Each structure stands twice: as C-alpha cells, then as structure tokens.
Amino acid sequence: MKIAIWQTQSSHCDYTANLARLDSALQEAAGQGASLLITPEMFLSGYVLNERTREMAETFPLAALQALAGKWQIAIIAGGPLAADGKVFNASYFISSLGEISGIYRKTHLFGELDKSQFTAGDQPVCIIPCNGVNIALLICYDVEFPETVRAAANAGAHLVAVATAQMKPFDFVNKHLIATRAWENQLYVAYVNQTGQEEHLEYVGLSLVAGPDGQVIAQASETQEQLLYAQIDPSQVIQAQRDNPYLTDLRTDIL
C-alpha cells in the first residue's frame, strides 16, 4: 500500500482554510496513487487552542472531512480535538476512502502543561484499523516516546504505526533517532508526521519521516519545508523482519 505523509503548518483555529488545503493535498496524493494520507497532530484546528479548546472541539468539521475522503477516494488520518463525555480529547480520526469513520484514537500520554490544560488523556492503548491489507495502529506525538505503546501495537498485529505529531524544539532527537529505533525494535513501519513553522510560543522541527521494519528511513522531510512524501508499506516485509529478528517472541515475559 502506498501512503502519503503531509508535513505542513496549520492555519490556527481556521477549519475552512485547513480543509481547503487538505483538499488540495488529497488531490495530489490520490493522483500519485496513495491509498492513505496522514496529517500532523491537531492539523485541522491548530494545537495551541487554550480558551478556544472546547469551542473548536464542538465545531469539529467531521462531516466535511468525511466528504473529502469520499471525494478523492483516499483514506485520511487527520488530527483535531474531540468532544465526548463532557471532556475534550486530542484525537486522530481515521476516515476510510468511502468517507466512513473507521476509528478515532485519543492521545493517551499528554505532554506538558499545555496538553494537560487543554485535554483529557485517553485510555485505549491500542487502536488498529485494517486498510487495504495493512493493519494500521494510531498514536499521537508523545505516545510514541514510550516503548510500551509501539510494542503493544506490534503484539496486536500492527504493520504500520501512524503517529501524528506536533514535535517542537528542542526535541528533534525524537525525529532523528527514536522513530527509526521504534521501527527496528518492533520490526514494523512507523510514519511520524509533523507540523512545521511556528505557532504561538512553539517552533516545530519538521523532519517528518517513515522508517521501515529494518530501521532504515524510507522517506524524510526537511526541517522547514511543507512537503508531501510517499512510502510503500508491505506487510510481508513486517512478517519477514519479525521472523529474522524475533524480539517479539524472544522477550522473556515470564520474568518481566
């Protein structure tokens, strides 16, 4: 399956502008034969919402997002706030190429005071959506920095872990070193899709990437440019890599 990762900058609190730009990105990705487009963390709304958090969650344009997926017949992972149970969550929405809601993941590990002041942490550790023969697990930003999250996805049968992120300075070591390590130690693909530019006090580091089951980087974006990059995801490569390097089965779970 061919995926597209879209490194871009949100228009802050402007659903209309972000949907229009997403429309263009989907057209390009569909034209290149991609089956899935992954956007950064909180792309549709912007990340620093503060007092507008609940307003943006309650007006989240889910129907418009579904319409775009159906229009271009391409699946979308798009980030934004989710209002549910009287709370607001930092969410990734998985919309199928038919425009149907296939899954919604709520960020389980909140980073810093900004995240914690805006959102409630989710409590579902693994969210896997099958798409074109590929099992895709959803994580958001800080989640992937804990090895247990990716290991749980691998043990549940994920071939690809799709991580929407808004990674900022000075934490670019995550992009440069940690993501490929997560792919290697679980023998699966990891797509890490970041914002660019500046938002309020945050300066994003870009450097979106896709790493393969062998730990090699397949696609890598720059620090500052908006880019639409592509990668092929092959489940057979995951199966073979897990046979060749059997961390998952060799782990001594009886003593750990």
Side-chain angles (χ1 to χ4, degrees):
M1 182 175 82
K2 188 175 185 178
I3 67 167
I5 63 170
W6 188 30
Q7 176 170 289
T8 187
Q9 182 175 12
S10 295
S11 296
H12 185 255
C13 290
D14 191 339
Y15 283 137
T16 300
N18 290 327
L19 284 167
R21 293 178 59 238
L22 178 59
D23 189 15
S24 297
L26 288 167
Q27 181 180 14
E28 181 177 341
Q32 293 296 318
S35 298
L36 169 68
L37 174 72
I38 307 171
T39 73
E41 179 182 14
M42 300 292 290
F43 164 71
L44 282 172
S45 60
Y47 180 56
V48 186
L49 302 180
N50 293 321
E51 70 278 358
R52 297 192 65 182
T53 301
R54 180 163 292 279
E55 169 202 342
M56 296 302 292
E58 292 176 347
T59 58
F60 185 81
L62 184 56
L65 184 62
Q66 293 175 261
L68 285 180
K71 174 183 178 181
W72 297 112
Q73 297 182 347
I74 181 173
I76 307 170
I77 296 174
L82 166 68
D85 305 320
K87 304 170 184 176
V88 178
F89 300 89
N90 180 335
S92 276
Y93 296 77
F94 193 111
I95 309 300
S96 78
S97 60
L98 298 176
E100 298 170 345
I101 302 170
S102 297
I104 303 175
Y105 172 75
R106 305 173 183 187
K107 187 176 184 180
T108 56
H109 296 79
L110 301 181
F111 177 77
E113 289 307 310
L114 178 62
D115 235 4
K116 293 173 183 176
S117 67
Q118 297 185 141
F119 306 113
T120 297
D123 57 10
Q124 181 184 4
V126 178
C127 176
I128 293 183
I129 295 97
C131 180
N132 291 15
V134 177
N135 293 333
I136 303 171
L138 304 184
L139 292 177
I140 299 175
C141 200
Y142 195 39
D143 291 331
V144 78
E145 297 180 34
F146 297 86
E148 293 84 358
T149 60
V150 184
R151 180 55 54 85
N155 283 330
H159 303 123
L160 166 67
V161 177
V163 187
T165 189
Q167 186 63 279
M168 72 289 287
K169 291 185 176 180
F171 304 111
D172 58 356
F173 64 88
V174 174
N175 311 57
K176 293 177 177 178
H177 304 291
L178 186 64
I179 299 306
T181 299
R182 288 286 175 270
W184 164 256
E185 66 192 6
N186 295 286
Q187 296 83 53
L188 44 61
Y189 294 91
V190 179
Y192 190 72
V193 188
N194 199 15
Q195 297 245 19
T196 58
Q198 191 157 346
E199 183 181 4
E200 301 292 331
H201 62 290
L202 302 179
E203 186 173 355
Y204 299 120
V205 302
L207 298 173
S208 301
L209 73 149
V210 180
D214 57 0
Q216 297 300 307
V217 174
I218 301 169
Q220 174 77 73
S222 73
E223 294 184 11
T224 58
Q225 291 180 312
E226 295 200 1
Q227 291 176 267
L228 189 59
L229 302 177
Y230 301 92
Q232 291 285 349
I233 306 301
D234 184 352
S236 70
Q237 293 297 314
V238 174
I239 294 168
Q240 186 61 52
Q242 291 176 353
R243 288 173 181 164
D244 293 343
N245 188 29
Y247 287 159
L248 300 182
T249 54
D250 282 354
L251 179 65
R252 287 287 308 279
T253 57
D254 58 315
I255 62 172
L256 294 174

